[in-house]
Amino acid sequence: RICPSCRESHKDIIYKRVTLLSADFDLPSLFLDTWSSEDNILITPDNAEGDFELYSSMSFALAGLMPWHFCNYDDNNHGFPRDCG
């Protein structure tokens, strides 16, 4: 996601999915409506069993460098990236 008007740390965010999506997974709703934890948990040092990683650039995502470490979810009408960082 690219957002020129966002704060510096959130101008460019790469969502790197590492688990398969179900056929009925609603990506537009996830990103635009409600950033949900259902089948969508950030991989962190404390939780290697998550579904995705977030990065501040495509080069970091491709190299697996400097992933983001926290996300919160499940607040209606707050889409991606909510308060992740």
Side-chain angles (χ1 to χ4, degrees):
R1 176 198 76 132
I2 297 174
C3 178
S5 64
C6 292
R7 66 180 184 240
E8 193 62 36
S9 63
H10 285 65
K11 288 186 183 235
D12 188 6
I13 304 171
I14 307 302
Y15 175 92
K16 182 178 178 180
R17 186 76 188 196
V18 298
T19 60
L20 296 176
L21 294 171
S22 64
D24 63 343
F25 196 85
D26 189 349
L27 279 173
S29 178
L30 176 71
F31 284 94
L32 301 174
D33 298 326
T34 299
W35 181 241
S36 171
S37 62
E38 186 175 345
D39 299 319
N40 188 59
I41 298 294
L42 179 68
I43 295 171
T44 68
D46 297 328
N47 179 26
E49 300 297 319
D51 301 296
F52 69 94
E53 299 168 332
L54 293 175
Y55 294 91
S56 297
S57 74
M58 182 60 77
S59 59
F60 287 167
L62 292 171
L65 297 173
M66 299 175 57
W68 291 18
H69 293 290
F70 71 90
C71 264
N72 54 5
Y73 314 84
D74 304 320
D75 194 6
N76 290 336
N77 302 314
H78 291 277
F80 177 76
R82 197 158 182 277
D83 300 321
C84 297

